[in-house]
Amino acid sequence: MKKFLFSIGLLFFILTHLQAQKSSKIHVEYSDFADRNQDEVPDALLLRGNVRVTHEGILFTCNKAYFFEKENYLKAFGEVQMVQGDTLFLNSKYAEYSGEVKKAYATGNVIMRSPESTLVTDTINFDRNTQEAYYNSLGVITNKENILKSKAGKYYANEKKFKFTTAVTITNPKYVIKSNHLDYYTNSGHSYLFGPSTITSKENFIYTEKGFYDTKKNLSYFKKNSYIKYKDRRIEGDSLFYDRNREYASATNNVKITDTINKGIIKGHYAEIYRNLKTQKDSMMITKRAVAITLVENDSMYIHGKRMLITGKSGERIIRAYNNVRFYKTDMSGKCDSIHSDQKTGLTKMIKNPILWNYDNQMTGDIMHLISNKETEKLDSLKVLNNSFIISKDTLSTGYNQVKGQNLYGKFKDNKLREVDIIKNTEVIYYMRNDNQELIGINKSVSSKINMVLDKNTIETITTYNQIDGDIYPETELPENARKLRGFIWRGDERIKTKEDIFSPEENELEAKIQEKRKKDKEKDNQPLLPSAATLNYDKKNPKPKVKSKEVSSKPMVK
């Protein structure tokens, strides 16, 4: 019995709910004239002059209307306006509305206004149940900041959102956005892009396949296959952030910055870039496995530091690398605490504990400078000041060739160290061999200057000037403890032999984690960005005064 009563109660609730859902009749509030003409429009009430009709919170005004009472259907002509509260105003030459399904159709110079924007198109459909309007003809949307043009679109009144899935263009005084899939929120000016999209301005060109742009604040971020391209460089990364007002950008994970003028590339996993448009100077900081790659003829120079800073305008850049700096080139590598490189002067300073390997030759000293030719950008010369020391292993024995002096001056030819002068208090220990590589003797001498001509790993000639002391000793006559100069330290186990050696184990571990995360994130690449809380809650945090609709005087209906 209880089950039966419960079933009756449930049935009564459903019927009551369905009855409540049933649409009410369209109400004609006023018209100057009203009559019926079965010949002209069968089964319709003809309304003329200052027509005013309402239905469940929506107001229609027009010059002329046909009201089909049985169908609860309205056709409106001439200066038609539909008003829904203070959120939606729609004007057109002609419109139709069904009170049963709560759907409207408007055509002819359609203008749809909300408090934030205005849409002009030829034809539009509006579903009051879902609060959605859509059009399939050219539409132009204007607001305070932008002009949007699209071939088709959909408007969600509750969310204050336009959705475009075919060619849409946003034109702003500062930039132009183009996309085939874009969600635009009229209240906040937030744009969500999906699929191939571009943002073009005088300052740069941005490409993305998934991103966000705040058209009011000029803040944006991009997620998939994205890059920012300036006249002289291109910035890529798994995630990009851009502030147009400050001309500031940051990039996270798999960052790649290409200098298109100087043919250089900088990589890392976090970077910040700031451009000063007035002075044409900019600055860039990159960290997390940072490396600068410079093309040197058919070779590349790799410079790594825990943190790298690049400042100055094009052609006058200064590169600074900090903390355990390492660099690698096929015929040369080195390390020091920090590096300062000035593009304008061509001077690169290796600061604190510098060491340089030229092929198998180890060079050390208190101060080490590399100088490039400013015009050709090739390596020109080398300076090692105070306690300069060159060491290389003898190829056929356990001994070491050594040259030391106060200062060292080297000369490059075709980016390869060709000639070296060591001056003041010079000493040499050199294993001399004939053409058959047989040991002739060990040259140990002291002089005021030494000149060496190099050919990769081979010393072609070694010349001493103003020799003070020394001789060529048979191997058996020079004891082991006399075969090393004072201050000798062989650091062959520290030598950087490949470009991978410039990174520490911790940095390689970070690289592996980031690539693993990137692999997992690729599964999300084909999903559009979800609107943020800032977008969804914009009106709560930024309330605006309500826009009052135009009042139409209420008069009794003329029958």
Side-chain angles (χ1 to χ4, degrees):
M1 184 66 180
K2 288 183 178 179
K3 289 184 178 180
F4 176 74
L5 291 174
F6 174 76
S7 299
I8 292 295
L10 180 62
L11 179 62
F12 177 77
F13 172 78
I14 293 172
L15 291 173
T16 303
H17 185 65
L18 290 174
Q19 184 67 26
Q21 281 189 322
K22 187 177 179 181
S23 297
S24 61
K25 289 295 182 179
I26 294 173
H27 176 60
V28 179
E29 288 191 352
Y30 177 83
S31 71
D32 291 343
F33 302 97
D35 60 11
R36 298 179 187 276
N37 188 326
Q38 288 295 109
D39 294 330
E40 183 179 345
V41 186
D43 302 323
L45 178 63
L46 278 62
L47 307 170
R48 293 183 178 87
N50 297 313
V51 179
R52 180 185 175 105
V53 176
T54 60
H55 183 255
E56 297 185 7
I58 193 168
L59 168 67
F60 291 85
T61 60
C62 60
N63 295 332
K64 174 183 173 181
Y66 298 154
F67 177 37
F68 299 88
E69 296 171 282
K70 186 177 179 181
E71 291 83 6
N72 203 23
Y73 197 87
L74 183 75
K75 291 185 178 181
F77 306 84
E79 298 183 13
V80 181
Q81 184 180 61
M82 288 185 276
V83 179
Q84 179 179 270
D86 59 358
T87 60
L88 191 66
F89 306 83
L90 198 153
N91 295 78
S92 64
K93 289 183 177 181
Y94 173 76
E96 296 182 11
Y97 177 73
S98 171
E100 294 300 306
V101 296
K102 297 182 182 178
K103 291 183 179 181
Y105 163 83
T107 188
N109 295 335
V110 175
I111 300 175
M112 187 179 77
R113 293 180 293 116
S114 68
E116 298 84 14
S117 62
T118 300
L119 164 65
V120 177
T121 187
D122 181 71
T123 302
I124 200 167
N125 291 272
F126 180 52
D127 186 339
R128 294 190 64 201
N129 302 292
T130 58
Q131 290 295 298
E132 296 175 8
Y134 59 92
Y135 60 94
N136 292 311
S137 54
L138 178 65
V140 179
I141 302 163
T142 58
N143 60 22
K144 186 178 180 181
E145 293 83 15
N146 311 294
I147 298 175
L148 291 83
K149 293 183 180 180
S150 67
K151 293 182 178 179
K154 199 168 188 177
Y155 179 68
Y156 301 81
N158 290 337
E159 300 175 61
K160 298 182 179 179
K161 178 183 78 171
F162 277 98
K163 187 180 188 68
F164 309 101
T165 52
T166 54
V168 59
T169 301
I170 299 179
T171 302
N172 181 283
K174 293 183 177 181
Y175 55 83
V176 175
I177 300 176
K178 290 186 178 182
S179 179
N180 280 330
H181 188 156
L182 184 147
D183 290 352
Y184 179 78
Y185 291 80
T186 58
N187 55 347
S188 61
H190 293 177
S191 297
Y192 291 84
L193 305 103
F194 187 65
S197 308
T198 62
I199 305 171
T200 306
S201 69
K202 291 181 179 180
E203 292 78 28
N204 54 42
F205 174 86
I206 300 172
Y207 176 86
T208 186
E209 293 178 15
K210 183 162 71 172
F212 163 85
Y213 200 104
D214 185 333
T215 61
K216 290 185 176 181
K217 295 182 179 180
N218 280 320
L219 300 176
S220 54
Y221 59 84
F222 311 103
K223 291 288 187 179
K224 179 184 177 184
N225 297 333
S226 307
Y227 63 83
I228 303 173
K229 186 177 181 180
Y230 296 92
K231 291 180 180 179
D232 58 349
R233 65 180 52 167
R234 169 175 162 146
I235 304 164
E236 305 170 55
D238 290 349
S239 178
L240 299 177
F241 171 82
Y242 177 54
D243 182 341
R244 186 178 296 279
N245 295 329
R246 294 193 298 142
E247 273 303 323
Y248 166 86
S250 64
T252 305
N253 292 347
N254 294 304
V255 179
K256 180 181 178 182
I257 302 170
T258 305
D259 189 329
T260 54
I261 294 178
N262 299 300
K263 298 179 182 179
I265 295 174
I266 299 176
K267 293 182 177 182
H269 289 303
Y270 181 73
E272 294 183 357
I273 303 97
Y274 174 75
R275 299 178 67 87
N276 189 317
L277 299 178
K278 293 181 179 179
T279 62
Q280 295 300 310
K281 292 181 179 180
D282 51 36
S283 61
M284 175 171 57
M285 186 279 296
I286 189 160
T287 186
K288 294 187 178 180
R289 209 171 184 268
V291 57
I293 306 168
T294 306
L295 182 64
V296 183
E297 286 192 328
N298 296 322
D299 199 0
S300 294
M301 172 79 84
Y302 297 81
I303 302 175
H304 163 67
K306 289 187 177 180
R307 183 171 180 264
M308 302 189 76
L309 182 64
I310 301 169
T311 57
K313 60 184 180 181
S314 181
E316 298 180 8
R317 304 222 191 276
I318 294 176
I319 300 175
R320 299 176 178 91
Y322 302 97
N323 298 343
N324 195 20
V325 173
R326 302 181 180 194
F327 64 88
Y328 170 80
K329 186 172 169 284
T330 303
D331 58 343
M332 183 183 294
S333 62
K335 58 191 292 189
C336 56
D337 181 70
S338 60
I339 271 182
H340 183 284
S341 183
D342 189 329
Q343 186 181 26
K344 188 175 181 179
T345 62
L347 176 61
T348 298
K349 299 177 182 179
M350 297 175 62
I351 303 167
K352 196 174 180 180
N353 301 321
I355 180 169
L356 181 71
W357 289 275
N358 178 61
Y359 291 103
D360 293 333
N361 301 307
Q362 172 186 297
M363 302 183 189
T364 55
D366 295 345
I367 299 171
M368 195 173 290
H369 293 171
L370 285 163
I371 299 97
S372 298
N373 185 302
K374 291 181 287 184
E375 295 181 1
T376 64
E377 296 186 350
K378 292 182 178 181
L379 287 171
D380 178 79
S381 54
L382 166 70
K383 289 182 181 179
V384 182
L385 307 178
N386 301 331
N387 300 313
S388 59
F389 212 129
I390 303 178
I391 306 173
S392 66
K393 270 190 173 183
D394 179 56
T395 54
L396 299 177
S397 72
T398 59
Y400 295 88
N401 296 313
Q402 305 155 60
V403 180
K404 66 176 290 190
Q406 182 169 332
N407 298 325
L408 179 153
Y409 300 95
K411 198 70 178 174
F412 288 89
K413 183 178 180 181
D414 297 326
N415 287 307
K416 292 176 174 55
L417 190 60
R418 177 60 176 167
E419 189 173 356
V420 172
D421 287 318
I422 302 96
I423 62 171
K424 201 170 184 181
N425 302 326
T426 60
E427 298 178 63
V428 62
I429 292 178
Y430 181 66
Y431 287 70
M432 303 181 66
R433 297 182 179 275
N434 60 22
D435 293 339
N436 296 321
Q437 295 300 305
E438 296 170 338
L439 184 63
I440 300 172
I442 303 174
N443 182 350
K444 184 174 183 180
S445 60
V446 177
S447 60
S448 62
K449 177 183 175 181
I450 294 175
N451 174 268
M452 294 192 300
V453 178
L454 308 174
D455 181 14
K456 296 182 179 180
N457 274 332
T458 305
I459 298 176
E460 289 187 347
T461 62
I462 182 167
T463 306
T464 59
Y465 296 86
N466 301 324
Q467 184 169 320
I468 300 169
D469 185 23
D471 203 348
I472 298 175
Y473 298 89
E475 185 177 16
T476 56
E477 295 184 13
L478 189 65
E480 287 290 337
N481 61 3
R483 297 184 187 183
K484 291 180 181 178
L485 298 175
R486 179 176 294 181
F488 173 93
I489 300 176
W490 176 245
R491 298 167 63 182
D493 56 338
E494 299 178 40
R495 182 180 170 189
I496 299 164
K497 298 180 179 179
T498 67
K499 60 184 180 181
E500 286 76 22
D501 290 346
I502 62 178
F503 302 110
S504 67
E506 293 80 12
E507 288 168 324
N508 290 332
E509 185 178 344
L510 172 67
E511 171 76 5
K513 288 180 179 179
I514 289 174
Q515 299 313 325
E516 182 63 27
K517 181 180 182 296
R518 182 71 190 96
K519 187 177 179 181
K520 292 179 180 178
D521 288 346
K522 274 188 173 291
E523 299 173 2
K524 302 176 184 178
D525 276 352
N526 295 325
Q527 300 173 9
L529 288 172
L530 295 175
S532 67
T535 299
L536 299 177
N537 301 321
Y538 184 83
D539 285 339
K540 293 180 181 179
K541 295 184 177 181
N542 302 273
K544 291 184 177 181
K546 293 185 178 180
V547 178
K548 293 183 178 180
S549 60
K550 184 180 179 181
E551 293 293 337
V552 180
S553 61
S554 179
K555 302 178 182 178
M557 177 180 171
V558 177
K559 297 184 179 179

